[in-house]
Amino acid sequence: MTALAVLDYASVFIFALTGALVASRAQLDLVGFVFVGCLTAVGGGTVRDVILDRGVFWVAEPSFIMVATAAAFCVFFTAHLLESRLKAIFWLDAVALAVAVPAGVAAALGMNALWPVVVIMGVATGCFGGLMRDVVCNEVPLVLKQGELYVTCALAGAASSLALLSLGQPLGLALIGCATVTFGLRAGSLAFGWRLPVYKSRPPRR
């Protein structure tokens, strides 16, 4: 199994958990759990593969859908055991982001894409599944929450992988660096309230 496949399986499983947890907050049925879990799990990778004009990963290997479905089933029967499902969503989503961004970077590098495309594919793979999940479940998308570090984490992680590669580091180390930066920033936002400045309207000058 390739490194990209391992990253894809890991991100699919963890993102599916977050999707199913969001479905539990919306009080959906089992089919709803599976739908939202699978949408979250494969959404970012699908956008990535379509843009890169490569075979969509879960179409070529349907076992990804089976993994996402299994995760959704697990959450359906165990979500009530969690003290705070919202907190679990935030932290699982942070882990999934840290896995999905390197997967997007690796896929783009495998297609010999230029560096701006590599960064964008890292961001897309990490962010679009969660965005679809939140829109479908009528939640405020995490990627758009006021001042919260999310897309910034993906962007910084993808850029750090390119910086490490430019310094002559091997791909594996660059992807680990990408995951570390992505998770570190997202965890800091959740644990310590790290935020970006937001636009505040002002009255027009006379």
Side-chain angles (χ1 to χ4, degrees), residues 149-189:
L149 300 184
Y150 196 98
V151 177
T152 305
C153 305
L155 183 64
S160 68
S161 68
L162 292 178
L164 288 170
L165 288 172
S166 70
L167 294 174
Q169 300 301 319
L171 177 60
L173 183 59
L175 296 179
I176 291 172
C178 174
T180 302
V181 170
T182 302
F183 181 77
L185 288 175
R186 183 65 185 137
S189 181

Side-chain angles (χ1 to χ4, degrees), residues 66-160:
M66 298 299 102
V67 169
T69 300
F73 268 80
C74 288
V75 173
F76 184 83
F77 293 106
T78 61
H80 65 282
L81 301 175
L82 292 172
E83 183 177 344
S84 171
R85 281 174 285 173
L86 183 60
K87 188 174 181 180
I89 290 167
F90 286 156
W91 283 102
L92 281 171
D93 197 83
V95 175
L97 185 68
V99 176
V101 175
V105 168
L109 289 172
M111 298 293 289
N112 297 315
L114 298 176
W115 71 265
V117 178
V118 173
V119 172
I120 292 170
M121 290 303 99
V123 172
T125 308
C127 297
F128 271 88
L131 178 62
M132 295 175 188
R133 171 198 68 206
D134 294 339
V135 169
V136 167
C137 291
N138 200 30
E139 298 266 355
V140 177
L142 282 179
V143 302
L144 298 177
K145 281 199 171 180
Q146 192 178 57
E148 190 150 336
L149 300 184
Y150 196 98
V151 177
T152 305
C153 305
L155 183 64
S160 68

